[in-house]
Amino acid sequence: MKAMILAAGKGERLRPLTLHTPKPLVRAGGVPLIEYHLRALKAAGFSEVVINHAWLGQQIEDYLGDGHQFGLRIRYSPEGEPLETGGGIFRALPLLGDEPFLVVNGDIWTDCDFTALKAPIHGLAHLVLVDNPLHHLSGDFALVGGEVRDESAPARLTYSGIAVLHPKLFAGCSDGAFKLAPLLRDAMAKGQVTGEHFTGRWVDVGTHERLAEVEQIVAVKP
């Protein structure tokens, strides 16, 4: 299975850090955020990674290179203008192949073990959901008997930015900017999305306060 890290975001809420540094290269505990993902993917047995980029993307390529220092093979999907989550993944499909692939948002920090996500999926997508953070208490989706649904009962959880997607999820799409969520909701309506509830450490690193939270976690992490 291949993996894709979404790294095209501009990180406007992390300015001035992101004025001259792409968000995935912002450091926490002295380590670029994207490097935590690469280490975790390697530990989970992944060998091929695709990274999309837009804002200051060449810096990402210059820093990570072909991935050999991480024991990985990295390929890039440059966008120029951001294509949003759905459009970015769709543009990268030729690099990802015809089988399900892991997708990880580049602007999260987590200690999630990606190993179990290499298991075959049943349907078009498998989402990792987390408890609702303070900045998103309403959540995104419900998890009912292993199936993810776009409803409020019994309780909504937050999409973590970690998923396994089948390329068929993008059938009928065309090149350009579009969001992933509508595709997921369409698949949910057809019973084609499964999920799991991750209860480990997870931070959406969207602000300076949440970046400081990650700093504190990695400072004490064994």
Side-chain angles (χ1 to χ4, degrees):
M1 178 184 284
K2 296 181 181 180
M4 180 176 184
I5 300 176
L6 302 176
K10 201 167 185 177
E12 293 183 355
R13 290 177 296 171
L14 279 175
R15 290 182 175 181
L17 293 177
T18 51
L19 287 175
H20 306 289
T21 301
K23 190 175 181 181
L25 294 187
V26 169
R27 293 174 180 261
V31 178
L33 291 170
I34 198 169
E35 193 168 324
Y36 287 106
H37 288 334
L38 293 173
R39 292 176 181 179
L41 289 170
K42 173 61 178 177
F46 288 84
S47 60
E48 297 185 65
V49 180
V50 175
I51 300 174
N52 70 331
H53 62 70
W55 174 250
L56 302 175
Q58 189 59 47
Q59 289 188 36
I60 297 174
E61 294 199 28
D62 292 343
Y63 181 80
L64 300 178
D66 63 5
H68 72 275
Q69 70 269 43
F70 304 103
L72 299 166
R73 181 191 181 200
I74 297 177
R75 301 175 73 183
Y76 298 95
S77 179
E79 295 181 6
E81 291 297 318
L83 297 174
E84 301 197 64
T85 305
I89 298 172
F90 180 80
R91 173 76 62 86
L93 286 181
L95 301 175
L96 293 165
D98 299 325
E99 299 299 320
F101 53 89
L102 176 67
V103 173
V104 184
N105 283 3
D107 57 358
I108 63 170
W109 184 93
T110 182
D111 61 1
C112 178
D113 184 349
F114 298 134
T115 306
L117 294 173
K118 298 175 73 176
I121 65 171
H122 303 284
L124 296 176
H126 180 84
L127 308 185
V128 177
L129 306 176
V130 296
D131 292 332
N132 300 328
L134 292 176
H135 62 273
H136 191 57
L137 290 175
S138 60
D140 296 311
F141 307 116
L143 182 61
V144 183
E147 183 179 322
V148 180
R149 301 177 184 173
D150 186 21
E151 58 186 46
S152 58
R156 289 164 72 93
L157 296 169
T158 292
Y159 171 49
S160 68
I162 304 169
V164 178
L165 305 179
H166 197 292
K168 291 180 179 178
L169 179 68
F170 298 87
C173 295
S174 56
D175 194 43
F178 62 89
K179 297 181 182 297
L180 177 63
L183 300 182
L184 292 174
R185 289 190 170 95
D186 287 345
M188 288 174 197
K190 300 171 183 174
Q192 291 292 302
V193 181
T194 58
E196 62 186 82
H197 182 191
F198 174 66
T199 57
R201 291 182 288 192
W202 174 90
V203 181
D204 175 7
V205 192
T207 65
H208 289 276
E209 292 76 16
R210 285 179 240 149
L211 179 61
E213 182 181 348
V214 176
E215 291 271 7
Q216 292 180 332
I217 292 173
V218 299
V220 299
K221 192 173 185 290

